Amino acid sequence: MAGSYDDRDGKIWMDGKLVEWRDANVHILTHAMHYASSVFEGERAYNGKIFKSREHSERLIASAEALDMPMPYSIDEIEAAKEETLKASGLTDAYVRVLVWRGSGEDMGVASALNPVRMAVAVWGWGAYYGDAKMQGAKLDIAEWKRPSPETIPVHAKAAGLYMICTISKHKAEAKGCSDALFMDWRGYVAEATGANVFFVKDGEVHTPKADCFLNGITRQTVIQMLKDKGITVHERRIKPEEMAEFEQCWLTGTAAEVTPVGQIGDYTFEVGDMTRDIAESYERLVRE
Ligand SMILES: Cc1ncc(COP(=O)(O)O)c(C=O)c1O
């Protein structure tokens, strides 16, 4: 399956049933298109099983609540929709995208209470998110935009509106030959990449930004637990950008990114070292258990 995402064979789950892939469309006066009233999940299935599926569904419900969108489906119904779509895809290793949004209805202003909340699930094959970087270490730009304060936007929701600065920053990064961009937060501390969390290694210990104003990734939480189980000390704390000069290794975590080594962020360089390789391999094993 390749080519444009709207022109493929297969089925997409939409509002309670599977429809033809090419028929999974919405009207131009969809509220979400105009006001970013949309939340989503990105999940991966390995050997036919979605990794941490229920945690993703729980986060989806929490994200919808944060945007004042009453979810029309229970957690079990969301789980069943994902299973049904995965099965229909015929894939065992796949990316699963769940989208919840305010559709078109009687509201076309900013308020949307009169418009239905809709849900769709699409499944497709998606390999390494950063391509070759997975082996060699990704090169990251430093974004000009900052991750905002929790007082300005629901920072813990996986909501479309939070990705506006991600797209702008990633375009700029790719134009410079980088795979991604790293954000600082509104206070100037290291935050996360455009679709992944960040970890650093120094003197055998791990340092990662405290998730107090960005997405606390499910992969991030999994990797922190894996490190602790290996007896490695993990510091979740505020990290100043200049500390990157002292860090020896770096990696990104995310459902799409999995564990991706980082070789460079701006002018700071890192080695793809033993701990990075070990944690990437351990994660690969865990998701297939
Ligand atoms: C902005 C952002 N941060 C972090 C992550 C990592 O989250 P997770 O590990 O739950 O996929 C993602 C990916 O979903 C993301 O889009």
Side-chain angles (χ1 to χ4, degrees):
M1 207 161 70
S4 176
Y5 275 94
D6 63 354
D7 187 17
R8 295 178 173 203
D9 296 332
K11 305 273 188 201
I12 287 180
W13 189 101
M14 215 168 167
D15 304 320
K17 62 177 191 301
L18 292 172
V19 299
E20 288 301 321
W21 190 285
R22 292 177 184 82
D23 296 338
N25 300 316
V26 294
H27 195 271
I28 196 66
L29 296 182
T30 292
H31 193 272
M33 287 271 286
H34 300 252
Y35 304 110
S37 48
S38 142
V39 297
F40 64 102
E41 276 304 317
E43 314 180 26
R44 271 191 195 271
Y46 299 91
N47 297 338
K49 187 168 178 282
I50 301 172
F51 183 64
K52 305 253 171 181
S53 182
R54 226 173 159 84
E55 283 93 326
H56 281 284
S57 296
E58 280 165 5
R59 186 170 70 184
L60 183 72
I61 292 169
S63 297
E65 264 169 25
L67 268 68
D68 198 28
M69 300 199 294
M71 272 294 290
Y73 303 102
S74 68
I75 188 157
D76 289 334
E77 287 167 332
I78 300 168
E79 289 295 297
K82 292 190 290 190
E83 281 306 315
E84 191 183 353
T85 320
L86 179 63
K87 209 166 168 198
S89 77
L91 298 169
T92 49
D93 282 18
Y95 181 80
V96 180
R97 171 59 58 93
V98 188
L99 183 71
V100 172
W101 74 100
R102 282 281 190 184
S104 52
E106 287 174 46
D107 272 329
M108 204 42 227
V110 173
S112 67
L114 298 178
N115 294 9
V117 176
R118 304 181 58 185
M119 187 171 104
V121 185
V123 168
W124 64 88
W126 209 358
Y129 187 65
Y130 290 108
D132 283 357
K134 190 106 209 235
M135 310 304 297
Q136 300 152 6
K139 187 176 166 198
L140 268 56
D141 189 22
I142 295 182
E144 287 170 14
W145 296 93
K146 306 275 185 256
R147 272 285 172 228
S149 136
E151 291 176 354
T152 61
I153 200 158
V155 292
H156 298 295
K158 194 163 165 65
L162 283 152
Y163 287 82
M164 179 175 67
I165 57 173
C166 299
T167 302
I168 308 171
S169 303
K170 193 148 175 170
H171 284 181
K172 206 158 197 169
E174 287 182 350
K176 292 182 189 172
C178 297
S179 311
D180 202 356
L182 183 75
F183 286 108
M184 302 304 133
D185 70 19
W186 54 293
R187 298 159 297 201
Y189 295 114
V190 174
E192 61 166 352
T194 65
N197 295 117
V198 67
F199 287 75
F200 300 98
V201 179
K202 188 184 166 195
D203 300 330
E205 298 188 345
V206 171
H207 303 255
T208 190
K210 210 170 154 171
D212 60 4
C213 65
F214 55 82
L215 198 71
N216 183 6
I218 290 169
T219 321
R220 174 186 184 276
Q221 295 170 51
T222 304
V223 163
I224 289 174
Q225 193 54 53
M226 281 167 54
L227 289 160
K228 288 183 176 168
D229 291 346
K230 287 172 185 280
I232 297 165
T233 304
V234 182
H235 304 274
E236 289 182 71
R237 62 176 183 86
R238 289 176 183 166
I239 296 173
K240 293 185 188 142
E242 54 270 27
E243 287 186 65
M244 289 195 281
E246 304 293 319
F247 291 139
E248 298 144 8
Q249 300 176 43
C250 175
W251 68 75
L252 299 176
T253 65
T255 298
E258 299 170 310
V259 176
T260 297
V262 174
Q264 192 174 344
I265 301 176
D267 292 332
Y268 303 107
T269 55
F270 311 95
E271 56 154 338
V272 180
D274 289 345
M275 196 188 291
T276 307
R277 266 190 258 274
D278 176 60
I279 207 74
E281 284 165 19
S282 300
Y283 182 76
E284 270 176 40
R285 273 197 301 275
L286 180 74
V287 295
R288 292 182 182 281
E289 261 174 15

